[in-house]
Amino acid sequence: MSHIRSHLKSLERSNRSLTRPDRPREFRLLDRNWDLLDEVFAPLYSPSTRIGAEFLGLAGAGSSNPPSSLLEIGCGTGVIAVQAALRGCPSVVAMDINEHAVENTRLNAERHGVADRVTALRSDLFSALGPDTRFDQVFWSSNYVLAPADYAYRSVHERAYVDAGYRTHRRYLSEVVHHLTDDGTALLHFSERGNLGALREIAEECGRELHTLDSRTVDEGLDPVEHVLLEIRPARDRRKPAATRRDLVRV
C-alpha cells in the first residue's frame, strides 16, 4: 500500500484535476450545486470534502447543535464552511492560501444565502488572524501527502495535495490550540495517503497529543484508503477527556 503515499502520484492527480477537458464550472455535492473556479481543488475528483463533511455531521439529514464559531483552514470551494452556516453556525471564518479558493468560497456563500455568516480570507494558516482571535472549533482537511522537504511547488493548486516536509502540518499542530476558546476543539482530517507515524512524531515534538475521533475507509480508484478525524490537544492538558464522536457532531 506504500504507493498510495507517493507524492508524485498525488502531484499527477493535481495536474489531471486542473487540466482535464471535462472539468466543470459547477458540480453537485451534498444535494446542492456549487461553483468551481479554475485553480481550486475540485471536490468531485476526490472524496475528501464529502468525508470531511460527514466527520463534522454536515452531510445528510438530521438536526444539529452548531458551535458559536467555526474556523476552516483550507476552505477550497467553501463547501464545508457553507454547510456549517446552513446548519446554523452563526459565525464561520473560511481561510485558504489560494486567492482563487477564497473567491470561490465567497461565491458559494452568496449562492446559498449565507454570505452574512461566512467570512472568507486569504491566509497562510493563521497569518490573517489577530493573536487573540478564538473559535469554538477549528477544522482542517489537510494536504496530508508528504512531499520531500526541498520540493518546490509549481502552482498553488499543488499545495492542496502535498505538504513539503510536513512544514504546514507542524505549524498547524503548534499554533492551532492558541486560537481556541476555553472549551474549543482543534480537528484535523488526515488520511492513509499521509504518514501518520511522522505526524505523531511531529505532534510529540510540538507538545501535542492526537486522539482519533472517527475513521472510515473508502475506495479511491483501485485502492481502499482510510480517512481519520483527529483531535489535537496540548500533551499536558488533562483537564478534560478527548471529545467523542457523539460530542463532536455539533455542526
Side-chain angles (χ1 to χ4, degrees):
M1 293 293 288
S2 60
H3 64 282
I4 68 173
R5 293 184 179 179
S6 168
H7 76 283
L8 294 177
K9 289 187 178 296
S10 288
L11 292 171
E12 290 174 3
R13 294 170 64 217
S14 169
N15 184 62
R16 286 198 304 270
S17 172
L18 277 180
T19 60
R20 56 189 297 165
D22 61 343
R23 179 182 167 102
R25 302 293 298 179
E26 182 179 287
F27 65 96
R28 189 163 182 81
L29 183 65
L30 304 178
D31 298 322
R32 290 187 171 90
N33 292 330
W34 306 87
D35 290 307
L36 175 63
L37 299 183
D38 294 337
E39 304 296 329
V40 179
F41 179 86
L44 70 163
Y45 301 136
S46 169
S48 60
T49 301
R50 173 180 56 80
I51 293 171
E54 291 173 355
F55 279 154
L56 296 179
L58 299 176
S63 59
S64 61
N65 181 25
S68 62
S69 57
L70 169 69
L71 169 63
E72 185 191 8
I73 300 294
C75 55
T77 55
V79 170
I80 286 176
V82 170
Q83 285 287 117
L86 289 170
R87 288 295 179 94
C89 184
S91 178
V92 181
V93 175
M95 304 197 304
D96 203 296
I97 196 171
N98 183 347
E99 62 183 346
H100 303 287
V102 174
E103 178 60 23
N104 209 152
T105 295
R106 289 172 179 158
L107 287 174
N108 280 318
E110 292 173 0
R111 177 173 190 153
H112 295 290
V114 292
D116 60 330
R117 280 170 276 166
V118 177
T119 300
L121 301 172
R122 187 181 184 189
S123 184
D124 182 0
L125 280 186
F126 306 103
S127 65
L129 299 178
D132 297 324
T133 308
R134 301 287 187 271
F135 299 87
D136 279 352
Q137 196 170 91
V138 180
F139 174 74
W140 181 30
S141 183
S142 78
N143 52 347
Y144 32 68
V145 177
L146 175 61
D150 61 354
Y151 179 72
Y153 294 103
R154 296 170 296 180
S155 71
V156 70
H157 188 265
E158 289 187 343
R159 292 180 180 271
Y161 283 80
V162 303
D163 184 12
Y166 272 176
R167 287 191 292 270
T168 307
H169 282 81
R170 181 180 293 275
R171 289 172 54 209
Y172 185 77
L173 292 175
S174 176
E175 299 172 19
V176 66
V177 298
H178 303 305
H179 290 285
L180 296 176
T181 58
D182 289 343
D183 295 321
T185 305
L187 303 173
L188 176 66
H189 172 191
F190 204 70
S191 159
E192 194 176 4
R193 291 189 182 277
N195 188 328
L196 185 56
L199 185 73
R200 291 194 181 281
E201 289 181 6
I202 293 171
E204 184 175 357
E205 292 169 5
C206 293
R208 304 290 181 252
E209 294 178 351
L210 301 178
H211 300 268
T212 302
L213 303 183
D214 201 355
S215 68
R216 62 199 62 199
T217 300
V218 297
D219 289 331
E220 299 187 25
L222 300 177
D223 302 309
V225 177
E226 183 182 24
H227 291 249
V228 294
L229 181 66
L230 303 171
E231 181 189 4
I232 302 160
R233 297 178 62 227
R236 297 179 181 177
D237 186 359
R238 309 294 182 181
R239 292 174 298 175
K240 65 187 181 77
T244 65
R245 179 69 180 89
R246 184 176 181 180
D247 294 332
L248 175 66
V249 181
R250 300 185 301 161
V251 289

